[in-house]
């Protein structure tokens, strides 16, 4: 006998609020397996971070971990001791030649010193034009050499010893140098970039002529002796120190050390103070003052030339003539020390 009522009588069939829809699985069949990608795929995609180490191998790298970057630091430029010693010897010979040439100058004998200065000016033109390589290099070199000769003649023949004729010669040489570069169409494109190099070369050669003017004023020969001796000692000691202990390095690309710059300027000042105690018209204090200015100017100019050469090499420019590149620093130091000596002699002596 079957009961008249079902055992489900009195029970709400939708109590669990799980009314099956038409898309649900058919009765009598087990539900299909759950797909992990469908349920928590978004969570897995959002989850980032380091994973656990797998057994027997390294862990996987996450997407946020940057790849290993190559090391772009280059080793510092090595300091070549034979080269530093050679430059030091060249600076010493240059100072000795200019000091001894100043001693031969007199009221009626200025031409020997003028010839010595002109020889140094030609070395300056050779070194700086080959190192900086302005457009129309040969034209700039010839105009600079002519400007040096005109400045020397003006320094010897002028009635009043002054820097005005030298200024006129420098202005004329600069204008002629720029016009010489504008003549050729190939060089006309780079003439804007070469204004600074042309100006430096012309002003440098004219600056040496100020030594001739300085030799014509009272105490001028003694001032040349004090200032150029301090300059030569400063450059010599700075380069010798770089050959022995180039520390601390000022820049990895420049083979120079701060110790050489500081020690060179100090010993140059000390040498000028010692000379001032023996020369007429000087005291150790006044000689130390003018020696400090000229020695510091020379070593800083020499250092700046090293930075400029390193900048040209880093920019991809081909290296220039070896001897010209390494003569550039001492010649530039003496070129700026000459007008500094004139200014110190006129203002403080």
């Amino acid at each position: 006998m079957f009961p008249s009522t079902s055992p489900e009588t009195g029970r709400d069939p939708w109590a669990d609020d799980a009314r099956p829809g038409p898309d649900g699985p058919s009765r009598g069949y087990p539900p299909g397996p759950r797909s992990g990608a469908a349920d928590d795929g978004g969570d897995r995609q959002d989850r980032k971070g380091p994973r656990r180490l797998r057994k027997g191998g390294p862990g996987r790298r996450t997407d946020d971990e940057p790849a290993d970057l190559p090391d772009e630091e280059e080793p510092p430029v090595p300091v070549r001791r034979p080269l530093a010693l050679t430059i030091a010897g060249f600076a010493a010979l240059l100072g000795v030649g200019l000091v001894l040439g100043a001693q031969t100058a007199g009221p009626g004998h200025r031409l020997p010193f003028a010839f010595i200065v002109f020889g140094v000016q030609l070395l300056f033109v050779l070194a700086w034009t080959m190192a900086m390589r302005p457009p129309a290099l040969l034209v700039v070199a010839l105009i600079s050499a002519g400007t040096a000769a005109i400045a020397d003649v003006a320094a010897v023949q002028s009635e009043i010893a002054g820097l005005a004729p030298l200024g006129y010669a420098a202005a004329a040489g600069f204008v002629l140098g720029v016009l010489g570069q504008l003549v050729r169409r190939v060089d006309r494109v780079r003439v804007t970039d070469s204004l600074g190099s042309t100006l430096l070369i012309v002003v440098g050669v004219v600056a040496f002529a100020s030594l001739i003017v300085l030799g014509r004023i009272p105490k001028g020969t003694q001032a040349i002796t004090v200032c150029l001796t301090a300059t030569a000692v400063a450059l010599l000691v700075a380069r010798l120190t770089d050959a022995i202990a180039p520390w601390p390095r000022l820049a990895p690309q420049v083979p120079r050390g701060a110790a050489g710059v500081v020690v060179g300027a100090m010993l140059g000042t000390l040498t000028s103070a010692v000379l001032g105690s023996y020369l007429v018209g000087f005291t150790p204090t006044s000689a130390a003052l003018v020696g400090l200015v000229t020695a510091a100017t020379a070593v800083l100019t020499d250092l700046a030339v090293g930075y400029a050469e390193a900048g040209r090499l880093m920019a991809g420019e081909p290296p220039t003539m070896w001897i010209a590149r390494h003569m550039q620093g001492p010649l530039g130091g003496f070129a700026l020390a000459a007008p500094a000596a004139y200014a110190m002699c006129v203002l403080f002596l």
Side-chain angles (χ1 to χ4, degrees):
M1 296 291 295
F2 293 97
S4 59
T5 60
S6 172
E8 303 293 334
T9 303
R11 183 178 175 185
D12 189 2
W14 321 118
D16 296 334
D17 294 334
R19 183 176 181 177
D23 296 336
S26 60
R27 287 189 176 185
Y29 295 94
R34 296 180 62 185
S35 174
D39 294 340
D40 55 354
D43 296 336
R44 290 193 178 183
Q45 291 178 0
D46 296 336
R47 183 176 59 194
K48 294 181 180 179
R51 299 178 181 268
R52 295 181 180 178
L53 289 175
R54 293 182 296 174
K55 207 178 224 183
R60 296 179 180 176
R61 187 179 63 196
T62 60
D63 297 336
D64 293 342
E65 184 179 352
D68 295 333
L69 297 176
D71 189 7
E72 297 181 355
E73 294 184 0
E74 298 181 358
V77 177
V79 179
R80 292 180 287 178
R81 292 184 177 179
L83 178 60
L85 295 175
T86 303
I87 298 175
F90 173 72
L93 290 176
L94 191 61
V96 170
L98 289 174
V99 170
L100 292 181
Q103 301 298 324
T104 62
H109 301 83
R110 300 190 183 98
L111 287 180
F113 186 43
F115 281 118
I116 294 175
V117 171
F118 183 69
V120 176
Q121 288 170 326
L122 292 181
L123 287 177
F124 182 90
V125 171
L126 172 65
W128 280 71
T129 52
M130 293 302 298
M132 305 189 75
R133 304 188 72 85
L137 186 147
L138 183 59
V139 175
V140 174
L142 293 177
I143 291 176
S144 299
T147 304
I150 294 173
D152 294 343
V153 172
V156 172
Q157 299 294 333
S158 60
E159 297 181 359
I160 301 175
L163 297 182
L166 305 186
Y168 299 146
F174 175 69
V175 172
L176 290 177
V178 174
L179 292 178
Q181 296 173 14
L182 290 175
V183 171
R184 298 179 56 187
R185 186 175 182 181
V186 178
D187 301 326
R188 198 179 307 162
V189 180
R190 297 177 52 202
V191 68
T192 305
D193 300 332
S194 67
L195 290 178
S197 59
T198 306
L199 181 63
L200 284 176
I201 297 171
V202 172
V203 171
V205 295
V206 173
F208 278 106
S210 63
L211 294 175
I212 303 174
V213 179
L214 183 58
R216 296 179 56 185
I217 64 178
K219 300 181 183 179
T221 303
Q222 291 87 342
I224 292 175
T225 302
V226 171
C227 295
L228 295 190
T229 302
T231 300
V233 170
L235 293 174
L236 172 66
V237 173
R239 291 290 185 169
L240 290 178
T241 306
D242 289 337
I244 299 172
W247 183 87
R249 291 290 292 270
L250 295 172
Q253 297 82 11
V254 182
R256 301 295 304 273
V261 176
V262 175
V263 174
M266 292 175 62
L267 290 183
T269 304
L270 177 62
T271 304
S272 62
V274 173
L275 286 176
S277 61
Y278 293 100
L279 294 178
V280 178
F282 277 89
T283 63
T285 303
S286 61
L289 179 62
V290 296
L292 173 63
V293 173
T294 53
T297 301
V299 293
L300 290 179
T301 304
D302 188 17
L303 181 63
V305 168
Y307 272 93
E309 179 64 23
R312 286 193 293 268
L313 294 179
M314 292 178 64
E317 297 183 10
T320 56
M321 185 186 301
W322 181 86
I323 187 171
R325 187 167 68 249
H326 299 298
M327 288 169 55
Q328 187 184 6
L331 287 169
F334 276 97
L336 284 188
Y342 181 87
M344 294 300 294
C345 182
V346 172
L347 295 176
F348 296 101
L349 298 179

